[in-house]
């Protein structure tokens, strides 16, 4: 357990002040700093990663919880997001990640989930603007509640989207549409986002998480190695210009699956007219 001096040091550091001198004798002053220290230590984590229980094993939730600033990103949140992403990368049992907000009316702002080898689904209720939309763009799928509001307002501040927005948005909606959205900084609703291919689904407000969970459950029924290789083939194939090179990427990914236990299980289950049991091997 931390000493009182340690608690005081933490309080001063997190508040951006030096810790009070140990010689202070004012009991009321001490009580204030003690209370402040315990308050800081009791604050909820801004980023929470947890795995759902059976029957949804393999589905992970990555939740942002900074209600006081509507999930705005700072260096601490970025560090925690990166740490969470690293944990998912090393989890061989992980199959799908749901990226959601615990803050009503706000999604989030910033971070890059493209590096994850498994599918990621952005659950968007409320505003996903600037860095928030860039985070959603780095996910594989985007599910919006009808109250969602998406946009890139950076040019209104004389800057540009700087976390992948100028590159990912045109790859999803086309360069002409992306230029219009970025140049004007205008916002679109969930229905328009689906129409232009920016979102996969628009559902009633408050139901985006359930829709995302339903999709995640469908994904977890498929061969996990096949899902990983499909994502790799799509992502890497989109990064090369020539179709021949893209098809070569696909061929390499396909070949890696030919001699897996899961492939043999899939063939056996099909022949025996039963549900396959995949192990990720």
């Amino acid at each position: 357990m931390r000493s009182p001096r340690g608690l005081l040091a933490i309080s001063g550091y997190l508040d951006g002040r030096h810790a009070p001198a140990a010689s202070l004798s004012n009991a009321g002053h001490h009580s204030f700093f003690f209370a402040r220290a315990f308050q800081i230590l009791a604050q909820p984590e801004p980023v929470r990663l947890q795995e759902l229980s059976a029957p949804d094993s393999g589905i992970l939730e990555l939740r942002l919880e900074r209600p006081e600033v509507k999930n705005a990103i700072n260096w601490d949140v970025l560090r925690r997001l990166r740490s969470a992403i690293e944990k998912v990368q090393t989890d061989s049992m992980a199959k799908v990640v749901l990226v959601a907000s615990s803050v009503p009316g706000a999604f989030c702002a910033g971070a890059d989930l493209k590096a994850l080898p498994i599918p990621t689904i952005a659950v968007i209720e409320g505003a996903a603007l600037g860095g928030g939309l860039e985070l959603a763009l780095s996910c594989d799928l985007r599910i919006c509640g009808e109250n969602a509001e998406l946009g890139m307002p950076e040019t209104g501040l004389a800057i540009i989207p700087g976390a992948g927005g100028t590159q990912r948005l045109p790859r999803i909606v086309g360069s002409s549409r992306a230029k219009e959205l970025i140049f004007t900084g205008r916002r679109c609703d969930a229905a328009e986002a689906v129409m232009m291919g920016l979102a996969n689904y628009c559902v009633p407000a408050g139901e985006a998480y359930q829709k995302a969970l339903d999709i995640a459950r469908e994904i977890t029924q498929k061969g996990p190695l096949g899902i990983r290789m499909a994502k790799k083939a799509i992502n890497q194939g989109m990064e090369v210009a020539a179709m021949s090179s893209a098809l070569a990427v696909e061929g390499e990914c396909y070949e890696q699956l030919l001699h897996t236990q899961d492939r043999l299980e899939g063939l056996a289950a099909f022949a025996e007219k039963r549900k396959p049991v995949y192990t990720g091997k």
Side-chain angles (χ1 to χ4, degrees):
M1 185 172 179
R2 293 186 183 273
S3 67
R5 181 176 297 185
L7 287 173
L8 291 174
I10 290 174
S11 175
Y13 175 76
L14 291 180
D15 281 337
R17 302 186 297 266
H18 292 296
S23 60
L24 283 175
S25 59
N26 186 304
H29 207 62
H30 272 62
S31 298
F32 167 78
F33 281 109
F34 282 138
R36 177 60 176 159
F38 283 117
Q39 179 184 14
I40 290 172
L41 291 177
Q43 285 180 348
E45 294 291 329
V47 177
R48 179 161 56 89
L49 177 67
Q50 66 178 25
E51 182 176 356
L52 302 188
S53 57
D56 293 323
S57 300
I59 301 176
L60 280 70
E61 277 187 4
L62 180 59
R63 284 190 174 272
L64 300 181
E65 301 182 336
R66 295 191 74 209
E68 70 280 5
V69 289
K70 294 187 177 180
N71 287 339
I73 298 296
N74 59 17
W75 287 112
D76 179 56
V77 174
L78 280 175
R79 178 178 60 81
R80 293 173 186 271
L81 278 169
R82 288 170 182 154
S83 176
I85 291 170
E86 289 171 358
K87 288 180 181 178
V88 176
Q89 287 175 319
T90 58
D91 186 351
S92 61
M93 302 304 292
K95 297 179 180 179
V96 184
V97 177
L98 303 180
V99 183
S101 165
S102 296
V103 181
F107 180 54
C108 47
D112 186 358
L113 299 171
K114 184 182 178 183
L116 288 179
I118 59 177
T120 54
I121 305 175
V123 181
I124 305 173
E125 296 275 6
L129 305 172
L133 180 53
E134 287 179 297
L135 173 59
L137 292 176
S138 74
C139 293
D140 298 302
L141 307 176
R142 284 156 294 282
I143 313 301
C144 293
E146 60 186 0
N147 63 335
E149 189 177 33
L150 300 85
M152 296 279 193
E154 286 88 346
T155 53
L157 301 173
I159 57 174
I160 66 172
T166 63
Q167 303 306 307
R168 294 196 180 99
L169 186 60
R171 284 170 168 78
I172 294 172
V173 303
S175 62
S176 180
R177 179 81 72 176
K179 288 175 181 176
E180 184 247 324
L181 290 174
I182 293 173
F183 292 171
T184 65
R186 76 173 181 87
R187 304 176 182 188
C188 68
D189 59 22
E192 184 182 2
V194 171
M195 181 272 294
M196 70 174 73
L198 180 54
N200 297 86
Y201 291 94
C202 169
V203 297
E207 297 183 14
Y209 180 84
Q210 184 58 52
K211 180 62 177 180
L213 182 59
D214 291 342
I215 295 173
R217 286 169 174 164
E218 288 187 48
I219 294 173
T220 59
Q221 299 305 306
K222 309 302 186 290
L225 295 179
I227 294 294
R228 287 173 178 248
M229 285 297 107
K231 176 170 178 173
K232 180 179 180 180
I234 294 170
N235 286 351
Q236 292 189 1
M238 290 290 290
E239 294 173 356
V240 298
M243 176 60 74
S244 58
S245 299
L247 290 173
V249 170
E250 180 184 82
E252 291 173 4
C253 292
Y254 182 83
E255 195 166 330
Q256 292 182 49
L257 297 169
L258 287 178
H259 304 292
T260 63
Q261 294 179 22
D262 277 358
R263 176 179 176 272
L264 297 177
E265 166 63 13
L267 292 174
F270 180 79
E272 297 166 12
K273 295 181 173 56
R274 61 174 174 82
K275 184 178 180 180
V277 179
Y278 295 120
T279 60
K281 299 179 181 179

